[in-house]
Each structure stands twice: as C-alpha cells, then as structure tokens.
Amino acid sequence: MEYREPPQYLYHGTTTEAFEKILNSGEIKKMSRHAVHLQEEMSAAWQSAKRWHKVPVLLKISAQSMHEEGVLFGKTENNVWCTEKVPVKYISEIIREI
C-alpha cells in the first residue's frame, strides 16, 4: 500500500445497523480488518454495503479535510483507500440510496 493524498471525498459502505454503532462510538473503526476501507466511486462503496443483505447506507467522508489535519491515507493496488479510523465529524453526507 502506498501512502497518498486522498481526493476531496471518499465513500464508505455500511448498513443502517452498523451506522448506529458508528454514531454511538463516534467513529468508523477498522474492526477486525487492517484498516477502514473507503472507495472513490460511490457505486463500489454501495456494492460493498449491499453485500451484507441488510439495509445499506453510504457515508460520504471528507477525506481531504482529514488529510489536512494529519490523518494518513493509503491506496492499495486494487484502488481501495485505507485509514486507521474515521471520526464521525468527517461524515459529510448520509446516502440511503443511489
């Protein structure tokens, strides 16, 4: 993975159930993964959210603002952006359908 400056926005696909946990904890956590996974394309993040067969939610993340405040981002060979965590203050929009 190569550390890079992210685009202005990235997207995180999740479920309504998981989103409630995110709000309660104050951040998107990496859980059992090596990092929080984010996508440049809304459609890719939406597909990720839908794979759980629950009600999907797409979170628009202000990645550039995070980066400007010192948060590191990496990009994998398969174009997945990764970071350690995403505080809820960087969630700029909640998208319930695309």
Side-chain angles (χ1 to χ4, degrees):
M1 179 171 63
E2 177 183 338
Y3 287 99
R4 304 174 64 169
E5 182 175 339
Q8 184 174 4
Y9 297 105
L10 291 169
Y11 299 91
H12 179 74
T14 192
T15 64
T16 54
E17 182 181 322
F19 181 56
E20 291 299 321
K21 292 177 183 176
I22 290 167
L23 291 176
N24 288 334
S25 73
E27 63 189 15
I28 302 171
K29 298 178 181 180
K30 62 183 178 178
M31 306 302 282
S32 62
R33 293 183 156 186
H34 71 283
V36 174
H37 291 187
L38 305 164
Q39 300 283 341
E40 282 186 65
E41 300 296 325
M42 288 176 66
S43 60
W46 189 252
Q47 288 301 319
S48 178
K50 286 176 54 176
R51 75 173 185 250
W52 300 108
H53 304 291
K54 296 183 180 181
V55 181
V57 175
L58 196 61
L59 305 177
K60 185 176 181 180
I61 307 300
S62 298
Q64 187 63 47
S65 295
M66 288 178 64
H67 177 72
E68 288 169 1
E69 293 185 20
V71 177
L72 293 176
F73 285 85
K75 189 173 182 181
T76 67
E77 290 179 5
N78 60 343
N79 295 320
V80 175
W81 287 86
C82 298
T83 193
E84 284 293 308
K85 61 185 175 183
V86 178
V88 294
K89 73 178 186 175
Y90 295 108
I91 299 172
S92 64
E93 187 176 351
I94 301 158
I95 303 163
R96 303 216 182 255
E97 60 182 66
I98 63 169

